[in-house]
Amino acid sequence: METEVQSARAISNKATDKLHSSDAHAPKYSVLAKRFLDDTAFTLENDALQTYADYGYLSDHGIERIVRNTGFYQRREGANEVMTSSLVITYLTNR
């Protein structure tokens, strides 16, 4: 889990640096970061839920709420698959 967290943090920092420096490729890195962070968060939350087994579904731990809300963040501002397709098209046209 630590590997995924550190990877997500690194790509998020890179996208932030690109935005702050007004880089022309900042939107691309923002989309990459959002897609990667959403997918990583969902994977880690499911792992945490499975670690708690049946207790993860209880409201005592709050994991069920986090997992439920992650689906919303993956669908907000467009589906990750659509964003990925858009990145591929942009990459192929700018070669």
Side-chain angles (χ1 to χ4, degrees):
M1 290 175 117
E2 182 69 20
T3 304
E4 288 86 0
V5 170
Q6 293 300 329
S7 298
R9 187 172 290 151
I11 196 167
S12 176
N13 288 339
K14 184 168 186 167
T16 303
D17 291 342
K18 296 280 186 186
L19 282 171
H20 286 299
S21 65
S22 300
D23 190 326
H25 299 291
K28 177 181 88 169
Y29 282 96
S30 296
V31 171
L32 287 170
K34 183 202 179 300
R35 192 203 62 80
F36 185 75
L37 293 170
D38 286 347
D39 291 345
T40 302
F42 189 72
T43 300
L44 292 175
E45 290 162 3
N46 275 330
D47 290 349
L49 188 66
Q50 290 179 10
T51 299
Y52 276 97
D54 292 336
Y55 294 109
Y57 289 101
L58 299 175
S59 60
D60 298 345
H61 299 291
I63 296 172
E64 43 77 32
R65 178 183 48 85
I66 294 169
V67 172
R68 183 184 67 234
N69 291 341
T70 300
F72 167 75
Y73 291 115
Q74 284 185 311
R75 291 184 298 273
R76 190 181 73 173
E77 299 177 16
N80 284 345
E81 291 81 14
V82 173
M83 293 170 67
T84 302
S85 299
S86 174
L87 282 172
V88 168
I89 291 168
T90 302
Y91 174 75
L92 291 175
T93 57
N94 292 335
R95 287 183 79 192

